[in-house]
Amino acid sequence: MTREEFRELVQSRVLILDGATGSNLQKAGMPTGVCPEQWILEHPQALIDLQKAYVEAGSDIVYAPTFTASRIKLEEYGLQDQLVDMNRRLVALSREAVAGSNCLVAADMTMTGKQLAPIGDLPFETLVDVYREQAAVLADAGVDLFVVETMMSLQETRAAIIAIREVCELPILASLTYESDGRTLYGTDAKTAIVVLQSLGADAVGLNCSTGPDEMIPAVEEMKQYANIPVLAKPNAGLPVLLDGVTVYPMGPEEFALAGAKLVEAGASIVGGCCGTTPEHICALKQAVASLAAPQIATEKKRLLATERSVLEIDLDGSFLVVGERINPTGKKALQAELREGNLDLVCKMAEEQQENGAAILDVNMGMNGIDEKAMMLAAIEELTTTVNLPLCIDSSNIDVLEAALRVYPGRALINSISMETEKIERLLPIAAKYGAMFILLPLSDAGIPETVEEKREIVRKICKRAYELGFSKEDIVVDGLTATVGANPNAALECFDTIHYCRNELGLATICGLSNISFGLPNRPFVNTAFLTMAIQQGLTMAIANPSQDLLMNAAFASDMLLHKPESDIRYINRMQVYERHLEEKEAAASPVRKKSVEKKEIAASSNGIIYDCVMKGDKKNIVDHVKVALAEGKTPGEIINGMLIPAINDVGKKFEQQIYFLPQLISSASAMQTAISHLEPLLQKDGNEEAAATIIMATVEGDIHDIGKNLVVLMLKNYGYRVIDLGKDVATEKIVDTAMAEHAQIVGLSALMTTTMMRMKDVVELAKEKGYDGKIIIGGACITQSFADEIGADGYSGDAADCVKLVQRLLAE
């Protein structure tokens, strides 16, 4: 099936996916703990019968049972050498099931269970290779399309889409799973997912699993606002409950179908069922949506950049935006020196300051002699994406550097820049299209700077024409006004204004310019730059590359927006003045000898505490041990460092996580930094001999479940709080958990499960512990677990995340 054929099909009617596979195969006899793909190949009729039932129920697409048939997942069963054969045979089974019908077969791919760097140790390119390997086999096996589903990480979803696109041009459906707060485990919301993935080349984006259909409606509505592709929804049959000792999904076929119809009304063009759904659910769903027209796919596009966790909309009639220019080594000796040492501390500091001072986007340039520009750019992106939450403008004259950066950037970036120069237009423009980036159009050609305004306009038109041929729209392009120096060319400002006006009003294009060129060679340049900026904003300038710490410039920009009566510009101006007042106070304090001396004394007294605290807050694993050594040399004891610096910091990290200021990547980075410090301090604590014995906690993912991301984070957090944690790993037998807890005299046992098919093993642990006389507490958690389930099985507590688990443990031990 071609992508165009898929688009035509989905616009013709509401498409129906299949329902659950795993839970239905378990009813057919598949035990927990086995490799599902291997069991299916050993019991092929069970799969064929199920998928035939889905076809008869009205499914337009069934998922081939290749969900966990990647190299990494098969390695857990020692089956990685059978990847090619297994994937081919599994696709063949689905082909047999749909024979004689019009039902399509989708290759099914999902997360590997390994965490990407920098949170984990899996390199991005290794993950792309893993997905590409499986995708090549599946495409060769004859699937009609691909689905990448139940994804928790936007970056892993990107890796899968890139891998598939490098293998074939079949349609790709991408589906993430969301927590109750409307974000994935890694902090991505619905609109960010649709913006990033549709720009990357997904043919439909949506969500599956985790919740029932009613809970999915807000996410579908949010995606629809930004979507230029179909939205899909594949909910569970409600949230699981325990009934007579068995985990069941409460929504029957009719109730599920009625709720499913509401998803279509909310904007979903493709619907189906996940956990707990059966052919009967799909049949009822098919009937419920039969009279509903397929939602219209929006053709009008928006100007959108994105990080991994948020979206920035660029509106021609909206607020003027500043692209922070400071992360560029040109003319900055201190930054050059740090980059030569491979140190990115100053880069991160510049990023934080520019975000605080009002930058909406950060330009990142690593071009200088004496370093590997590509390696440094990739390292900078890795640091910046966890340090600040601003979209990046990737700035380099080296096309290879730009491509490497676009490949790993976990959002939608802006490229600085693409000109009419042969290499840029022929090589870089297709790269920008591949990775779905926006780009700055620089009106230069092989002949150099255009000599006239009309020549500049002609270059703009030619680059746009080529971009449109590659699939770009006008919303993907930002034209550089190409600011010249007014000292050399008296018409420089007027020519730039002409370009801004022409692009904004005649071509419908956003515009940008660098401000500093206009005043080159003149005295008191900030006055010239500021006057030029206010006039350019009046002409329709969308954004400028500037230093947001320049108060005169920033204040004038915010005031200009207010005078032009842009939406909410008055509130933005007032907020900006608060920042300005703070800057004035800081300058006054720095200029006053008395106040300066007082501040310096306080800084010296608090230096160790503050720096170590900041290392945890920022996840600075690289430098935290050095600062711990300084604190020890200053006379601090290991206990004082842990209780007075590390614990308060990780507590504040937990608070930010609860407030959705921090998300999983920051939580893991901070916990890892703290663990690095504690590992250095532990031997010294043992020498003291005065520390109280820490409580012992057993942690395990229950039998049959091989997911451990959440459990591993809980282990890390609990260790940081000084507990003795014994991690038994994943897929741990019930007897081993209870026996270990009793042998180690553990005060608490923590159990994790991701799948509804394994959550009942938690009940087995609770019952066996009671039978054997274990007198400690048992706590549980995981994506499918709720407080009501904990109550029903007799567990002593439930936590929704790692930070919450620490509080639960503290409370239970205090009791």
Side-chain angles (χ1 to χ4, degrees):
M1 166 174 270
T2 67
R3 299 175 69 185
E4 183 57 36
E5 288 170 342
F6 173 77
R7 190 174 183 88
E8 291 175 359
L9 177 63
V10 78
Q11 288 180 320
S12 69
R13 66 176 189 276
V14 176
L15 294 187
I16 305 297
L17 303 171
D18 60 10
T21 297
S23 56
N24 286 304
L25 290 180
Q26 284 199 321
K27 292 178 183 177
M30 184 176 74
T32 59
V34 302
C35 173
E37 289 78 13
Q38 186 179 39
W39 186 89
I40 289 169
L41 291 174
E42 293 170 351
H43 305 82
Q45 201 58 46
L47 186 279
I48 292 171
D49 290 345
L50 176 63
Q51 293 198 327
K52 279 186 175 181
Y54 281 131
V55 174
E56 292 170 1
S59 292
D60 295 300
I61 302 171
V62 298
Y63 291 8
T66 55
F67 185 65
T68 54
S70 67
R71 183 202 322 157
I72 289 177
K73 299 300 287 185
L74 291 176
E75 280 176 353
E76 297 179 3
Y77 303 99
L79 297 171
Q80 63 272 21
D81 294 339
Q82 299 181 40
L83 182 148
V84 174
D85 179 66
M86 291 180 71
N87 277 278
R88 284 177 176 169
R89 291 168 62 195
L90 291 164
V91 171
L93 292 179
S94 291
R95 277 284 171 220
E96 182 179 344
V98 304
S101 73
N102 293 321
C103 186
L104 303 171
V105 174
D108 193 4
M109 299 169 67
T110 191
M111 292 183 69
T112 63
K114 301 288 186 181
Q115 289 181 300
L116 277 172
I119 298 173
D121 56 5
L122 180 64
F124 182 79
E125 283 305 322
T126 300
L127 181 59
V128 173
D129 288 342
V130 167
Y131 283 134
R132 190 193 296 113
E133 177 184 37
Q134 187 184 11
V137 176
L138 292 168
D140 185 64
V143 296
D144 298 300
L145 69 162
F146 280 81
V147 60
V148 181
E149 65 155 332
T150 323
M151 303 299 286
M152 302 178 192
S153 162
L154 182 64
Q155 183 70 325
E156 291 190 41
T157 313
R158 289 186 70 255
I161 292 174
I162 289 171
I164 296 167
R165 279 283 165 262
E166 291 179 347
V167 166
C168 66
E169 280 297 314
L170 293 175
I172 302 172
L173 284 58
S175 178
L176 292 87
T177 183
Y178 291 85
E179 305 287 307
S180 58
D181 61 3
R183 293 181 179 269
T184 68
L185 183 64
Y186 289 81
T188 301
D189 59 16
K191 63 177 178 288
T192 302
I194 190 80
V195 168
V196 173
L197 299 179
Q198 72 180 359
S199 68
L200 192 61
D203 298 280
V205 171
L207 58 164
N208 76 286
C209 206
S210 290
T211 67
D214 291 327
E215 293 82 3
M216 283 190 177
I217 289 174
V220 169
E221 291 175 336
E222 185 174 58
M223 283 188 173
K224 189 63 178 172
Q225 293 178 39
Y226 295 86
N228 297 115
I229 58 175
V231 175
L232 74 88
K234 205 169 190 279
N236 295 339
L239 298 174
V241 296
L242 191 64
L243 185 63
D244 296 329
V246 178
T247 304
V248 298
Y249 286 86
M251 296 185 81
E254 297 305 321
E255 183 184 3
F256 178 82
L258 291 174
K262 293 179 183 177
L263 286 170
V264 174
E265 293 168 352
S269 299
I270 308 169
V271 290
C274 203
C275 300
T277 58
T278 65
E280 289 74 24
H281 287 81
I282 299 304
C283 182
L285 178 63
K286 176 80 171 182
Q287 294 172 4
V289 304
S291 61
L292 299 178
Q296 291 296 306
I297 309 300
T299 56
E300 184 178 346
K301 295 187 177 181
K302 299 180 179 181
R303 293 171 179 83
L304 302 165
L305 295 175
T307 68
E308 192 173 8
R309 298 179 295 279
S310 65
V311 170
L312 173 68
E313 184 167 356
I314 301 167
D315 187 346
L316 294 186
D317 297 316
S319 301
F320 174 77
L321 304 175
V322 171
V323 180
E325 69 178 6
R326 295 190 62 203
I327 305 175
N328 186 327
T330 303
K332 300 183 180 75
K333 292 183 179 180
L335 180 57
Q336 291 173 7
E338 285 205 1
L339 294 180
R340 287 194 179 97
E341 295 174 357
N343 189 339
L344 292 168
D345 290 348
L346 187 53
V347 167
C348 293
K349 181 180 179 183
M350 288 177 169
E352 291 172 330
E353 289 175 347
Q354 289 183 104
Q355 178 174 255
E356 181 181 343
N357 288 329
I361 304 165
L362 294 181
D363 188 84
V364 182
N365 184 307
M366 294 288 121
M368 58 173 280
N369 294 325
I371 66 170
D372 182 334
E373 183 185 355
K374 182 192 291 186
M376 193 59 68
M377 177 65 83
L378 297 180
I381 289 173
E382 187 174 283
E383 288 288 332
L384 291 172
T385 51
T386 56
T387 301
V388 294
N389 192 28
L390 295 180
L392 300 186
C393 177
I394 311 298
D395 184 358
S396 177
S397 59
N398 187 314
I399 293 177
D400 292 336
V401 171
L402 286 169
E403 178 169 20
L406 293 173
R407 192 170 177 86
V408 302
Y409 181 62
R412 190 184 191 212
L414 178 65
I415 297 174
N416 188 7
S417 56
I418 299 178
S419 67
M420 193 64 194
E421 295 164 292
T422 301
E423 187 179 29
K424 293 291 183 71
I425 199 76
E426 290 184 357
R427 280 192 61 202
L428 185 52
L429 200 54
I431 289 171
K434 174 180 178 178
Y435 296 105
M438 290 181 66
F439 70 91
I440 295 175
L441 186 160
L442 187 65
L444 298 176
S445 67
D446 289 326
I449 298 174
E451 295 183 0
T452 66
V453 168
E454 181 50 43
E455 184 183 352
K456 189 196 288 188
R457 290 184 176 189
E458 180 63 20
I459 292 173
V460 170
R461 290 192 294 267
K462 285 182 177 179
I463 296 175
C464 285
K465 181 176 183 294
R466 179 59 182 143
Y468 299 155
E469 291 170 352
L470 291 174
F472 287 97
S473 69
K474 67 180 186 296
E475 290 79 14
D476 300 320
I477 302 171
V478 183
V479 179
D480 192 322
L482 201 62
T483 311
T485 302
V486 73
N489 175 9
N491 290 317
L494 297 176
E495 291 172 357
C496 186
F497 296 156
D498 176 88
T499 302
I500 294 169
H501 186 275
Y502 172 69
C503 291
R504 165 69 174 80
N505 296 304
E506 295 190 35
L507 301 182
L509 298 170
T511 53
I512 189 172
C513 68
L515 297 179
S516 57
N517 279 354
I518 194 71
S519 62
F520 185 78
L522 295 174
N524 294 316
R525 294 177 64 186
F527 295 111
V528 180
N529 295 343
T530 302
F532 172 69
L533 174 62
T534 58
M535 296 170 74
I537 291 174
Q538 197 279 329
Q539 290 291 329
L541 183 67
T542 314
M543 61 183 81
I545 300 175
N547 183 350
S549 67
Q550 295 178 351
D551 286 329
L552 177 62
L553 195 75
M554 295 295 289
N555 293 347
F558 280 78
S560 296
D561 272 1
M562 182 174 64
L563 294 173
L564 291 170
H565 193 49
K566 292 185 178 181
E568 301 181 358
S569 56
D570 51 351
I571 301 300
R572 294 180 70 246
Y573 177 78
I574 292 169
N575 292 338
R576 170 64 199 175
M577 287 303 99
Q578 293 175 350
V579 174
Y580 177 55
E581 292 294 333
R582 187 176 71 248
H583 288 179
L584 291 179
E585 291 175 1
E586 291 171 353
K587 290 176 182 177
E588 182 184 349
S592 169
V594 175
R595 293 183 65 182
K596 184 176 181 182
K597 191 171 184 180
S598 174
V599 169
E600 286 175 349
K601 286 183 178 179
K602 289 179 180 178
E603 287 178 348
I604 292 171
S607 59
S608 298
N609 300 51
I611 292 174
I612 292 173
Y613 175 93
D614 286 344
C615 283
V616 175
M617 295 300 295
K618 296 176 181 178
D620 186 359
K621 186 164 60 173
K622 181 174 65 176
N623 295 311
I624 193 167
V625 170
D626 289 338
H627 297 306
V628 166
K629 289 178 180 178
V630 170
L632 291 169
E634 291 174 350
K636 300 285 195 305
T637 68
E640 287 173 337
I641 294 172
I642 291 173
N643 296 316
M645 304 177 198
L646 297 175
I647 295 293
I650 203 67
N651 284 339
D652 286 348
V653 168
K655 290 175 184 176
K656 287 181 178 292
F657 182 74
E658 291 174 358
Q659 297 164 355
Q660 292 192 7
I661 298 171
Y662 277 14
F663 298 98
L664 186 66
Q666 292 99 324
L667 184 62
I668 293 176
S669 294
S670 294
S672 296
M674 182 172 172
Q675 181 59 38
T676 301
I678 287 179
S679 295
H680 180 78
L681 292 169
E682 275 181 335
L684 304 177
L685 282 170
Q686 292 170 4
K687 289 179 183 178
D688 287 348
N690 295 321
E691 305 293 332
E692 291 184 17
T696 297
I697 301 172
I698 305 296
M699 290 296 303
T701 300
V702 296
E703 189 171 8
D705 202 313
I706 56 174
H707 302 88
D708 62 357
I709 292 176
K711 184 264 299 176
N712 290 345
L713 179 56
V714 170
V715 169
L716 182 58
M717 289 287 285
L718 290 173
K719 284 183 176 180
N720 283 346
Y721 278 83
Y723 298 115
R724 175 176 175 251
V725 183
I726 300 174
D727 183 4
L728 298 180
K730 55 191 176 183
D731 189 16
V732 185
T734 298
E735 292 79 6
K736 182 177 180 180
I737 295 171
V738 176
D739 290 346
T740 304
M742 297 184 72
E744 297 291 339
H745 304 289
Q747 286 92 330
I748 291 177
V749 171
L751 304 176
S752 176
L754 180 71
M755 303 185 299
T756 57
T757 53
T758 60
M759 58 193 290
M760 286 308 298
R761 302 289 77 74
M762 293 177 165
K763 184 171 185 286
D764 295 344
V765 173
V766 171
E767 291 177 347
L768 184 61
K770 183 182 295 185
E771 180 183 321
K772 289 195 171 187
Y774 172 67
D775 58 0
K777 303 291 186 182
I778 298 177
I779 61 177
I780 64 175
C784 58
I785 307 303
T786 62
Q787 180 63 58
S788 62
F789 179 74
D791 295 339
E792 288 173 13
I793 68 171
D796 297 292
Y798 156 79
S799 66
D801 54 59
D804 188 38
C805 186
V806 171
K807 294 180 181 178
L808 174 62
V809 167
Q810 291 171 334
R811 177 173 61 79
L812 290 176
L813 290 174
E815 292 174 355

